[in-house]
Amino acid sequence: MSVRFSVLDLAPVVSGSTSGQALRNTLDLARHTERLGYHRYWLAEHHAMPGIASSATAVLIGQVAAATSRMRVGSGGVMLPNHAPMVVAEQFGTLEALYPGRIDLGLGRAPGTDQATALALRRSPEALSVDDFPEQVIELRNYFGADSKVTPAAGNEPPIWLLGSSGYSARLAGLLGMPFAFAHHFSAENTVPALALYRDSFRPGALDEPYSMIGVSVTAADTDERARELAAPQALSFLRLRQGRPGPLPTPEETAAHPYTPLERQMIDARLADQVMGSPPTVRKQLDALIGRTAVDEVMVVTQVFDHADRLKSYDILAGLYEDGFAPGPA
């Protein structure tokens, strides 16, 4: 199976720990997955969330690129409406100049936070609209042109991706001839329609042919039961976020002791149903079916578990299941 595998990291802050430890874990996971042969390592932009430490995405990308030597490193993604396109061009032009051929710039249009925080980022109620997102993307790309006066962006354009969880960015990526990454891990019901829209609307641009990737939540362990136990805390964390009570990733003990209402239990089960989790044979079966159904070129794996060692092991198991999709680096 000629599908590449990559990593999406939110730098999770777990209960009883700190952002500093979360960021050190990110650097450790990046080095570990590079040795295993994962193709790229992306960091996600979220703001004012106690359980996510990757808010200064460009800064963290630079640290991960410095800690590794081969894998591509990028944003999954930068939420472009939160930033002046020129500033994003300067940041990623700098990264591309420092680490040529290794940087990706993934762009999203969601705020990555609540409305109050989005207002604090954008400084104006009028800036909360995302109606001009296509124009922002084009403006950003122009700053990387050889005749641009924006240094060091000029001549240092990394590959630019569009990210999405609906058909909007899928169609835009197709019309602009750009690579497209879909957030299957939190919008599974829209995955196949969005990918079809991307391919149907594709016109040659940055790429001659469409290239698609999906973000998938994967938890692999020795047994199906253990995998579900490991996955449960991030499902509870997602539930609390939806209830307006974001916090650090809870412990397995906190998760088991939570007094779930019937509706909460239903939401948890629905959340877990869209994820790939289980023993090695179960994970292989579920992923094979998903890859076959979506016909993607690449799978970007996000694994949110409480213990860092369990997260490393999950990526180990996956690498062992799909040897053709990996290019191992030096030990």
Side-chain angles (χ1 to χ4, degrees):
M1 186 172 291
S2 58
V3 173
R4 286 171 164 166
F5 287 84
S6 296
V7 179
L8 176 63
D9 183 12
L10 280 64
V13 182
V14 304
S15 180
S17 190
T18 64
S19 295
Q21 186 59 54
L23 296 173
R24 287 187 287 273
N25 287 345
T26 282
L27 297 180
D28 183 61
L29 180 63
R31 289 186 288 259
H32 185 81
T33 52
E34 179 175 68
R35 289 192 295 269
L36 291 171
Y38 284 84
H39 181 58
R40 69 182 91 232
Y41 196 103
W42 280 7
L43 290 308
E45 178 188 343
H46 293 278
H47 298 280
M49 293 190 183
I52 297 176
S54 57
S55 55
T57 314
V59 175
L60 193 50
I61 288 169
Q63 292 295 307
V64 171
T68 54
S69 60
R70 178 189 54 81
M71 68 176 3
R72 301 192 64 86
V73 187
S75 57
V78 162
M79 301 297 106
L80 186 56
N82 290 344
H83 311 278
M86 181 175 169
V87 173
V88 175
E90 290 174 336
Q91 292 172 343
F92 280 81
T94 299
L95 290 166
E96 177 65 22
L98 288 169
Y99 306 101
R102 293 185 56 211
I103 301 300
D104 296 322
L105 173 51
L107 301 173
R109 67 188 186 104
T113 187
D114 57 72
Q115 285 291 94
T117 305
L119 179 59
L121 287 164
R122 302 179 190 184
R123 309 298 297 166
S124 166
E126 291 74 23
L128 292 175
S129 170
V130 295
D131 292 344
D132 61 345
F133 179 69
E135 290 77 14
Q136 288 183 315
V137 173
I138 293 170
E139 178 187 347
L140 171 64
R141 295 177 70 186
N142 287 337
Y143 289 132
F144 290 109
D147 58 350
S148 168
K149 294 181 172 59
V150 179
T151 305
N156 285 309
E157 180 178 5
I160 300 177
W161 292 65
L162 290 191
L163 283 56
S165 57
S166 68
Y168 181 95
S169 291
R171 179 175 172 79
L172 181 60
L175 292 173
L176 296 177
M178 300 171 69
F180 176 60
F182 186 83
H184 174 82
H185 55 301
F186 61 81
S187 188
E189 69 279 3
N190 292 324
T191 302
V192 171
L195 290 173
L197 181 59
Y198 168 61
R199 292 166 184 142
D200 290 344
S201 61
F202 188 85
R203 305 290 182 270
L207 300 178
D208 293 329
E209 297 180 351
Y211 189 96
S212 59
M213 175 166 65
I214 52 174
V216 183
S217 180
V218 178
T219 305
D222 292 331
T223 66
D224 290 351
E225 294 75 14
R226 177 59 175 161
R228 187 175 180 88
E229 179 185 332
L230 294 177
Q234 56 87 10
L236 175 58
S237 181
F238 183 78
L239 173 66
R240 288 172 171 172
L241 176 63
R242 285 295 178 89
Q243 295 172 337
R245 301 184 292 114
L249 188 67
T251 68
E253 293 76 17
E254 288 177 84
T255 304
H258 181 82
Y260 297 94
T261 67
L263 179 59
E264 287 178 337
R265 179 59 67 187
Q266 183 179 352
M267 294 174 66
I268 290 285
D269 290 342
R271 172 74 175 173
L272 294 175
D274 290 332
Q275 301 184 15
V276 171
M277 61 181 174
S279 64
T282 299
V283 167
R284 179 68 195 240
K285 180 180 179 180
Q286 292 177 353
L287 265 181
D288 281 355
L290 180 59
I291 293 167
R293 195 163 67 248
T294 57
V296 290
D297 301 288
E298 192 166 340
V299 173
M300 178 157 277
V301 176
V302 55
T303 300
Q304 296 278 93
V305 298
F306 179 80
D307 190 89
H308 183 60
D310 289 324
R311 189 157 63 138
L312 297 178
K313 183 175 179 177
S314 183
Y315 283 103
D316 287 343
I317 290 172
L318 184 59
L321 291 174
Y322 289 94
E323 295 181 2
D324 291 346
F326 292 80

